[in-house]
Structure formats: structure tokens, C-alpha cells
């Protein structure tokens, strides 16, 4: 976590739901991985969006990943790469991010898995993170 971040204004429960969904997706993506370490990294830092500075949360997994062509489709309602998935979690997550004036997107990792990024605009009020 970054030593000092500006606060964000938002619905704590909905933002927690979004981040928890990203974490659970990462865990599920690594469930069948046996040939390499399973590693989930959650980070928080200052980021820069089109509207100005923000808080950037990253959730990186070492799971099975997704095809480059599917990265944007991951956020479409009812699109899923999971055997038992409904395809609604990331779509709802993107809606939550947008309702907070932010963004949610995914990138393929250089080796394995995906990293999901959530950028939420800062309010300008200092918040110490410990």
C-alpha cells in the first residue's frame, strides 16, 4: 500500500464488493494451477486518470488468464470464462467503478494470469494508510 493516499468518496459496501469479487476471481483462476506458485497480489497506489489523480487498486493473479481478444469482453454481461460462472460479476464491478467516476479494466500479465485495475478519483482530502 502506498504510504499516503488521498481519500475517495464512495459507497464503502459497493467498493468492498467490487474488490472482493476481483480477489475471489483471482483465487478461482488459480484453483487448478499446480505447475507454478499461486500468487495473488493486491496493491494500492496513486494513479492518474483522465479526470485527474485517483487511487489505483490492482489485483494480480497467476491464474489461467484470458485471451487478448477476450479482455474487454470480460466486462460484458453474461460473458464468462468460468465453467460455472454467470458472467455478471465483472459487469457489475465495472458499473460500480463508473458510478464512482472511475474505471475498471484488465491487462494480461507478462507471464501468467491477469491484473485487474480499479481507478477511483480522489477527493483531495488526505488519508493516512497504515
Amino acid at each position: 500500500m502506498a504510504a499516503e493516499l488521498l481519500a475517495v468518496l464512495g459507497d464503502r459496501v459497493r467498493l468492498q464488493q467490487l474488490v472482493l469479487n476481483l480477489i475471489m476471481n483471482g483465487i478461482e483462476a488459480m484453483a487448478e494451477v499446480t505447475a507454478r506458485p499461486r500468487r495473488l497480489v493486491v496493491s494500492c497506489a496513486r494513479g492518474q486518470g483522465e479526470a485527474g489523480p485517483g487511487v489505483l487498486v490492482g489485483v494480480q493473479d497467476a491464474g489461467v488468464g484470458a485471451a487478448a481478444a477476450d479482455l474487454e469482453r470480460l466486462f460484458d454481461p453474461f460473458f464468462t470464462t468460468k465453467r460455472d460462472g454467470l458472467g455478471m460479476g465483472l459487469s457489475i464491478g465495472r458499473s460500480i467503478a463508473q458510478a464512482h467516476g472511475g474505471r475498471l479494466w484488465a491487462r494480461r500479465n507478462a507471464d501468467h494470469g491477469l491484473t485487474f485495475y480499479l481507478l477511483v478519483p480522489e477527493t483531495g482530502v488526505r488519508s493516512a494508510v497504515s
Side-chain angles (χ1 to χ4, degrees), residues 28-50:
E28 289 174 13
M30 296 185 293
E32 297 181 22
V33 171
T34 58
R36 62 181 177 273
R38 296 179 203 168
R39 183 172 174 191
L40 184 78
V41 178
V42 180
S43 61
C44 187
R46 293 193 77 179
Q48 184 66 34
E50 293 176 10

Side-chain angles (χ1 to χ4, degrees), residues 52-68:
V55 173
L56 181 66
V57 177
V59 179
Q60 178 183 11
D61 67 62
V64 295

